[in-house]
Amino acid sequence: MQILILSMSFCILCYNFFMFNIKLKELRLEKGLTQNNLAKELGCNQSMIVRWEKGECEPTETYIKKTALFFDVTADYLLGIEDESGARIAQPKYNIGSINNSNINMK
């Protein structure tokens, strides 16, 4: 049970970060760019764009910044923390740091 609770918490925490792959592909397609074109603009390999869009790996802070500047959006938007208008999206109530043995009910 404890593993299940920790796994669920991890999934909630990662949800916003994994929005990057969806936002990246949406923005790239809106601009009519190929993965290769975007890779050249950001200064990385096309294989990185492919992996980011598939959610196979995470971009570094540097590439999140470059992507935000290129598409003229905020990093928070790319990460799913803000919507298109800049309003914050509701965050999970708990974070992994708040979970400890005292609030895990093992029956």
Side-chain angles (χ1 to χ4, degrees):
M1 181 70 168
Q2 186 173 14
I3 292 171
L4 175 62
I5 292 170
L6 290 175
S7 296
M8 289 171 49
S9 297
F10 180 74
C11 289
I12 291 169
L13 281 173
C14 292
Y15 172 77
N16 284 342
F17 189 79
F18 294 126
M19 290 297 294
F20 181 86
N21 64 332
I22 296 166
K23 300 292 186 185
L24 178 66
K25 188 171 186 177
E26 286 175 358
L27 291 167
R28 179 179 63 79
L29 293 175
E30 283 175 16
K31 279 208 170 207
L33 296 170
T34 65
Q35 291 172 333
N36 193 42
N37 295 141
L38 180 57
K40 287 179 183 176
E41 292 290 339
L42 299 179
C44 66
N45 294 322
Q46 178 185 357
S47 63
M48 292 309 301
I49 302 297
V50 171
R51 293 181 72 206
W52 293 338
E53 287 186 359
K54 288 183 175 182
E56 293 178 353
C57 68
E58 304 165 349
T60 63
E61 179 182 341
T62 299
Y63 283 109
I64 293 171
K65 287 178 185 177
K66 285 182 175 186
T67 303
L69 289 170
F70 178 76
F71 287 113
D72 194 28
V73 297
T74 65
D76 283 350
Y77 173 75
L78 287 173
L79 299 175
I81 297 169
E82 291 180 350
D83 64 17
E84 296 86 0
S85 70
R88 286 188 79 70
I89 296 172
Q91 297 297 302
K93 182 177 177 181
Y94 296 102
N95 65 40
I96 198 123
S98 70
I99 297 176
N100 57 44
N101 289 336
S102 65
N103 60 10
I104 297 175
N105 188 1
M106 301 287 290
K107 291 185 179 186

